[in-house]
Every structure is written in C-alpha cells, then in structure tokens.
Amino acid sequence: MKKSIFITLLFGMFFISTSVWAQTEPEDIAIDSDQFQDYFYEAIKQKGIENYDKAIESLEKCVALQPENPTLYFELGKNYYYQKKYKDAYDNFEKATKLDDKNRWAWVGMYDVCYDTHDYNQAIIIVQKLIEFKESYKDDLISLYMNTQQFDKALVLINEMNEKYGKNEQREIYKSQILQDAKYQGAEKGNLLDQIKKNPKEESNYIELISMYSKSNQEEKALEVAKMLEKEIPTSDWAQVSLFKFHLNNSEGDKAVISMNKVFASDKIDKKIKHRILNEFLIYTQKNPQYSDALGKAISYFQDDKEVQVAKEIGKFYVNKKDWTNATKYFEMHLKSVSDDVETGLLLMQCYVEQVDFNKLITKSDEWIQMFPTQPQFYYFQGLGYNQTKNFKKAKDILEMGMDYLVDDTATEINFNIQLGEAYHGLGDEKKKEQYFTKANELLKKKR
C-alpha cells in the first residue's frame, strides 16, 4: 500500500546566485528579479486554480531566468503530474534531484510517477533513496517487493520492521500471504525462534510458531513450543490450545479436560478455535463416555453464542450416530435457552419415538401445540403417541385436527393417513382404516 502523497509547499522569494550578480548590471538585476517573482507567483496562482498549462508557461519563463533553480523543476514536475503527463513529470522531478540531491519531495514525485505507471522496479530504486530521508519508507519498499513478487526480501524487511517498531496490520497481511508458500516457512520458523530467544516473554511469537508447526503437521514441535510458552508465561491461555491436543492424542483425558476448560474460559482465544476443540472433545467422548459430564460442562461456556448453537449441534451429531439418549439430552439442554426452536422440537419428538417414550412424546408434543397451534407435525407426533398407548379416540381427534393445517407436505400427509388408519383400526372401524391406508399408498406412489 503506497503511503506517500504530495504535500503542497509554499516557496518564498528566489534570488539569483552571486555569480550572476557579478556579471549583470544592477538595473538588469532588479528587472530580472521582479520578473522572476511575477512569473513564479503567477505559476503558483494558476496551479491553485488547476490551470496547469498556464502555470507551466510561467514556470518556463522562470527557468529562462534561473535555469539552475531546482525548485522550478519540482514545480514543473507537479503540474505535469496533475495533468497525468507522467514522462514530463518524471523528467522534471529527476532534474530537480540532480540539481539538489537533498530535495526529498522531488524524489517523492518520481516515486509517485513510478507507482501510478506501475513501474515498480524503478520505484524500488527511488524508495531506497527515500529511506535515507525517512526509515518509514521501508513499509513502501515492502509493498513494492510484494508487487514484484520478491517475497524473500519482503519477509526479511517485514521482520526487521516488526522487531524495531512493532507489528502492524498491513505487514501481518503481507506476511500471511508470503507464508502460504511452504518454501518461506523454514526461514520464518527460524526467525520466530530467534525472536523467542531475544524476547522470551513475548507471547505472540510462540503463538505464531505453534500455528505454523500445526499447519505443517509438525505436532511434536508445536507441543515443544507450547511447553516453552507454558514455562516462560505460565498464565498463557494459548499454551493450553496445543497442550489440549497433545493430551487428547495421548489419551490423557483428565489433563485434556483441564486444558480445554482453560481455553474456553479465556476471552483471548478466537471462538473458531474453541469450537474446533469442542468438536474434537465430542469425538473423543464418543469413544470415552466417562467424559460425558465434562462435555456437558464444556457446553455451558457457549450458552450465549449466537453464531453456533452448540448444544443443538451436538444433539444432531448424536442423531447421526443414532445415539438417541444423548441426542435427547442435548436437545433438551438447548431448548432451555431457546424454547421456541421448532426444528429442535421436532428432532426431540423423533428422539422420544426412537426411545419408545410415548408418554413423554404425548406430554411434550402438547406443549409444542400450545406454542405453535398451526404446526401439523406436532399433532402427528401426539397422535402417534396416543396410538402407541392405545388411546385411539384421542389419536383420531388430534390427527384430524392437525390435518387441517397440512399444506403441500406430502411426506407428513402420508404419515397422518397411516396413523389415522391405525386409530380407526383400534376403534374397530375397518372401513375407515382401509380408506386411510389406501390414501397413504396413493400418496406414496405419487411421491415416487
């Protein structure tokens, strides 16, 4: 990102050199000086109203009077630059620097021209000169190295600037881009290790190195750095991220739980990392059910998470595993904080069915019907529950009521007809039973 900009400068009177005084009559000097002043201020005025052609005409008259005055070429360069006449602009800025090598703004003008014309290689040469005036131009040089794909040079300079002035957002973006290429990661790992030796209490270097080792599947090295971090900064939450993974891989469940809880309690660690840890612990708990209580406690850390409803997602995980008991547990946990989540309510009804808990199915589906009286699926589940408990009259009544709310839902309509057939069969009305079973079969054929 280019940071340099033109700064408008007000230049005062410009006088003729002493060598010219020695060769010119006094009256001629006065005339030339007056003319120069008039032409110069006319140029400044015309530039101010963006009449660059007239400004250039006046400056050319000034040049005729003082051809070795670098300020005139700088002003000419600016006027040509504003007109996007980049070659003329560059030539005049360059002439200014040749007459006055310390004229920083003329070098800046050349840089601006190169940047606007995408001549980044030439811009690099100019910025290297500008660094002699102000070291902050090294950030511009980093940007130019990125544009010319000289990533090795950019990385060296980024690390130099970070060490001297601290990190900034743009340098970190560039660094992240460079380190996507594995060939630069070795040098960066070495740099981070050096930084850790120099500044053992700087947490960010450990974190970055742990991340790099983890991404390159060097888990043992990541763990070594995590242990170094824990030793140097015992209060560091980030050390626990890697230690959690290490303990999990070594089946050290109790230690993994301790590290996990420290991570979850930290407000320094990104939520995405916390979600990843929870997911890994969920899979671990599936094979080690003795840690189910620890999993339940872990979920409490995410109660206020609006982006990911953790208890609900874990419930779905157990549904896919056909672990209906745990699915029920986590769906019920989720509904304590989000009581009107219809999707979770329907999933929970299915869990009761799979567990053959029809009394609870009847009770809970009734609660949902009170909240959502136009949601037909809850009537279906209650009707199913009544059929299974042989309360066929109530099954028939609730199912017929729910049918009134069915709209373009063939699958649910098939289920309603089957349950109504079962209800009428239980009531001894075989004609009605056949009527609803036949309707269910017809719908099933159409669906296929």
Side-chain angles (χ1 to χ4, degrees), residues 353 358 361-362 379-389 395 398-399 419:
V353 172
F358 297 115
L361 177 66
I362 293 167
Y379 292 88
Y380 160 74
F381 279 116
Q382 191 170 58
L384 186 154
Y386 280 132
N387 271 335
Q388 293 297 321
T389 55
I398 200 71
L399 288 164
Q419 289 304 315

Side-chain angles (χ1 to χ4, degrees), residues 379-401 403 414-437 440:
Y379 292 88
Y380 160 74
F381 279 116
Q382 191 170 58
L384 186 154
Y386 280 132
N387 271 335
Q388 293 297 321
T389 55
K390 302 189 182 306
N391 198 334
F392 301 116
K393 176 67 169 61
K394 284 190 175 182
K396 175 188 80 70
D397 292 344
I398 200 71
L399 288 164
E400 287 178 340
M401 190 185 301
M403 284 279 275
I414 291 168
N415 289 333
F416 263 91
N417 280 285
I418 291 170
Q419 289 304 315
L420 277 165
E422 294 286 356
Y424 276 107
H425 174 67
L427 291 169
D429 190 336
E430 295 302 312
K431 184 177 179 181
K432 282 279 191 180
K433 180 197 84 170
E434 288 302 324
Q435 178 183 328
Y436 282 108
F437 280 178

Side-chain angles (χ1 to χ4, degrees), residues 105-323:
W105 298 110
W107 289 102
V108 170
M110 294 166 69
Y111 174 32
D112 287 329
V113 170
C114 290
Y115 199 93
D116 287 3
T117 57
H118 307 295
D119 188 354
Y120 299 128
N121 288 311
Q122 182 62 22
I124 287 171
I125 296 170
I126 295 165
V127 170
Q128 286 170 335
K129 176 67 178 179
L130 282 169
I131 289 168
E132 297 175 14
F133 297 101
K134 197 172 181 182
E135 193 173 28
S136 61
Y137 280 107
K138 285 184 178 180
D139 278 320
D140 292 69
L141 187 55
I142 290 168
S143 178
L144 292 167
Y145 281 146
M146 294 298 293
N147 282 326
T148 54
Q149 299 187 345
Q150 298 183 65
F151 301 128
D152 49 346
K153 292 181 180 179
L155 186 58
V156 168
L157 201 51
I158 287 168
N159 288 331
E160 177 190 325
M161 293 294 281
N162 283 350
E163 184 175 359
K164 194 166 186 179
Y165 299 106
K167 297 176 182 179
N168 70 19
E169 183 180 359
Q170 188 59 61
R171 288 199 292 269
E172 289 306 289
I173 290 171
Y174 286 149
K175 190 171 186 177
S176 176
Q177 291 172 358
I178 293 169
L179 294 179
Q180 287 176 12
D181 190 332
K183 73 179 180 180
Y184 298 108
Q185 292 175 7
E188 179 56 17
K189 288 171 186 173
N191 170 65
L192 288 168
L193 284 168
D194 288 341
Q195 292 304 312
I196 287 169
K197 289 176 183 175
K198 290 179 185 176
N199 304 290
K201 300 300 181 184
E202 177 55 55
E203 186 183 42
S204 63
N205 293 320
Y206 295 93
I207 295 165
E208 193 172 342
L209 189 54
I210 289 168
S211 175
M212 288 188 69
Y213 280 135
S214 296
K215 286 177 182 176
S216 58
N217 297 316
Q218 294 176 282
E219 293 294 340
E220 287 300 318
K221 292 198 176 223
L223 177 62
E224 286 175 19
V225 178
K227 287 181 175 178
M228 288 165 59
L229 173 56
E230 188 180 34
K231 180 180 177 182
E232 290 293 341
I233 312 175
T235 58
S236 172
D237 298 326
W238 281 97
Q240 302 304 320
V241 174
S242 289
L243 289 173
F244 164 80
K245 182 72 173 177
F246 174 77
H247 294 317
L248 217 58
N249 289 342
N250 288 308
S251 298
E252 298 172 347
D254 292 343
K255 292 181 179 179
V257 169
I258 292 170
S259 292
M260 176 179 70
N261 288 334
K262 286 181 180 178
V263 170
F264 290 163
S266 172
D267 57 3
K268 297 178 182 178
I269 297 173
D270 188 86
K271 283 193 294 185
K272 290 181 180 178
I273 293 173
K274 293 180 180 181
H275 288 151
R276 188 194 74 199
I277 285 175
L278 182 65
N279 187 58
E280 290 174 353
F281 190 68
L282 171 61
I283 295 167
Y284 181 77
T285 304
Q286 183 75 9
K287 298 175 183 176
N288 301 274
Q290 68 269 31
Y291 292 103
S292 295
D293 289 343
L295 178 63
K297 181 184 176 184
I299 291 169
S300 66
Y301 288 107
F302 298 89
Q303 285 179 347
D304 299 325
D305 191 337
K306 304 299 181 186
E307 294 178 21
V308 178
Q309 296 170 324
V310 172
K312 178 180 178 178
E313 293 306 314
I314 291 179
K316 287 182 177 179
F317 171 85
Y318 281 120
V319 165
N320 290 332
K321 299 288 184 181
K322 300 190 184 304
D323 184 342

